[in-house]
């Protein structure tokens, strides 16, 4: 995943041929990737406060979940097991504030099969 507080992209490398491509414009401040099979990349998009999936066959991005809460949230940490995405959710703030062990976070479970 390629990002730096702006438009995000993903680099894909064929390990047999060493051919590399970069797919840009898949989100804003995107991070935390999980590859599903060989055709889907699930990830968090901090700029949009959403969970997204990139389909490598169609090259399209689909928004699976968007949080539109006040105060604004920040998604951090993504784990997928048995078609359920587990996502860490905190209030948006500075990196230093988010690292403070006294701050609370929630874990959100999202069923990828049934949305």
């Amino acid at each position: 995943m390629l990002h730096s507080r702006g438009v995000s992209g993903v680099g894909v490398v064929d390990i047999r041929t060493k051919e590399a491509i970069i797919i840009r414009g898949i989100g804003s401040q995107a991070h935390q990737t999980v590859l599903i099979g060989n055709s889907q990349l699930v990830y968090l998009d901090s700029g949009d406060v959403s969970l997204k999936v990139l389909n490598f066959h169609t090259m399209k991005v689909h928004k699976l979940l968007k949080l539109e809460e006040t105060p604004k949230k920040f998604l951090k940490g993504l784990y997928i097991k048995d078609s359920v995405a587990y996502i860490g959710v905190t209030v948006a703030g500075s990196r230093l504030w988010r690292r403070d062990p006294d701050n609370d976070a929630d874990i959100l479970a999202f069923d990828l099969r049934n949305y």
Side-chain angles (χ1 to χ4, degrees):
M1 183 62 71
L2 309 167
H3 84 92
S4 64
R5 299 184 184 180
V7 175
S8 301
V10 65
V12 181
V13 178
D14 183 320
I15 58 173
R16 288 171 287 165
T17 66
K18 309 295 188 254
E19 180 184 2
I21 61 168
I22 296 177
I23 304 160
R24 298 196 186 278
I26 64 165
S28 172
Q29 301 175 21
H31 57 98
Q32 302 297 136
T33 62
V34 176
L35 185 62
I36 305 290
N38 62 1
S39 63
Q40 295 182 317
L41 184 71
V42 179
Y43 60 95
L44 302 177
D45 187 326
S46 289
D48 192 40
V49 194
S50 60
L51 175 70
K52 294 182 176 179
V53 61
L54 168 63
N55 183 310
F56 289 123
H57 293 302
T58 64
M59 300 308 289
K60 295 197 185 238
V61 173
H62 300 279
K63 192 178 302 183
L64 302 174
L65 170 72
K66 179 171 174 67
L67 296 183
E68 297 186 36
E69 300 176 19
T70 302
K72 184 177 178 182
K73 302 297 182 188
F74 181 79
L75 305 179
K76 57 193 265 180
L78 173 63
Y79 175 74
I80 297 177
K81 172 120 173 105
D82 298 329
S83 296
V84 177
Y86 298 92
I87 306 162
V89 182
T90 66
V91 174
S94 70
R95 288 179 186 267
L96 181 62
W97 184 88
R98 291 192 314 255
R99 289 186 184 128
D100 186 334
D102 292 329
N103 291 329
D104 289 334
D106 294 317
I107 301 292
L108 182 138
F110 181 79
D111 185 331
L112 294 168
R113 286 190 187 133
N114 299 311
Y115 303 104

